Amino acid sequence: MGEQTWAGAIRGLWQSAARHKIASAVVALCIAGSLAGIAVASSGSSSASSSASSSASSSASSPGSGRAAKAADAVAPTFSFPALGHSGQRVSLGDYSGKPVIVNFFASWCPPCKQETPLLARFYRTEQAKVALVGLDENDVLGNAMSFTHSDGVSYPVGWDPQLSAADAYGVSALPQTFFLNAKHRIVDRVFGAVTLAALHKGIALATGS
């Protein structure tokens, strides 16, 4: 067997953690009081881009505002996945060219995701004219993912990403996480943990420039 790369090793650890629901537990602990832990995880995932651009910076807000972190205005990685529950259709970032987008990473086995998904479903029904919302279901079981989204009334498009391709590209190592993209699809805000209504309004204001 060839020598395993660091990226491969990290990916293997994350997949194992997700299967045993450790990733969501890490997020829950961070929300409870480990701002420093989140800062370390965030800075580690963005170190490559920050070295390439001296203007890259980030900041975190209080837990009461959803632990939103102002991300550097990096271009969001593109993606295209099968649409959960819609055979033959795909969910692609490119379909929203020129439009602000919210990208939410979640899974049915993630406890904080169960808290935020009903909120996102209600928010989308009333605010979809202002900004697009896309869910990316990561490292999940298809049947569980279908039941989860249906029970919570999810009507926004959800991409099926069991291999964590998008999570790797966005530096997501724990669920849930939410990214706010402006019309040029640059990341203008990022929320670690369950998103709140206040964080949604803040992120949309940054994404739309309003």
Side-chain angles (χ1 to χ4, degrees):
M1 180 181 298
E3 182 179 357
Q4 187 179 34
T5 65
W6 280 109
I10 292 171
R11 176 183 174 84
L13 287 172
W14 159 230
Q15 289 176 318
S16 176
R19 285 194 295 271
H20 293 85
K21 306 182 183 180
I22 293 174
S24 60
V26 171
V27 172
L29 289 174
C30 289
I31 293 174
S34 181
L35 178 61
I38 281 182
V40 170
S42 171
S43 62
S45 64
S46 62
S47 59
S49 61
S50 63
S51 63
S53 172
S54 60
S55 63
S57 61
S58 63
S59 61
S61 66
S62 64
S65 62
R67 302 202 69 143
K70 180 67 169 63
D73 291 350
V75 176
T78 189
F79 56 78
S80 181
F81 297 108
L84 185 67
H86 299 279
S87 179
Q89 299 183 29
R90 299 189 69 81
V91 175
S92 304
L93 183 59
D95 291 341
Y96 302 93
S97 178
K99 299 178 181 178
V101 185
I102 301 171
V103 181
N104 174 251
F105 288 81
F106 75 100
S108 67
W109 46 260
C110 157
C113 302
K114 296 176 183 179
Q115 172 188 339
E116 74 169 7
T117 300
L119 170 64
L120 287 169
R122 293 192 301 270
F123 186 82
Y124 178 73
R125 287 193 290 269
T126 60
E127 302 292 338
Q128 58 183 295
K130 294 182 180 179
V131 62
L133 171 60
V134 172
L136 294 180
D137 192 303
E138 302 293 314
N139 196 36
D140 213 342
V141 176
L142 182 58
N144 294 345
M146 294 281 291
S147 298
F148 178 76
T149 53
H150 287 168
S151 65
D152 284 335
V154 172
S155 58
Y156 51 85
V158 175
W160 171 241
D161 182 23
Q163 301 302 318
L164 299 162
S165 299
D168 287 348
Y170 279 74
V172 172
S173 58
L175 299 175
Q177 288 191 39
T178 305
F179 292 77
F180 295 84
L181 317 182
N182 64 16
K184 295 181 179 180
H185 291 177
R186 291 185 173 273
I187 300 169
V188 296
D189 205 14
R190 179 176 184 174
V191 175
F192 297 86
V195 72
T196 64
L197 188 59
L200 284 170
H201 284 301
K202 172 178 175 283
I204 287 177
L206 291 170
T208 60
S210 61

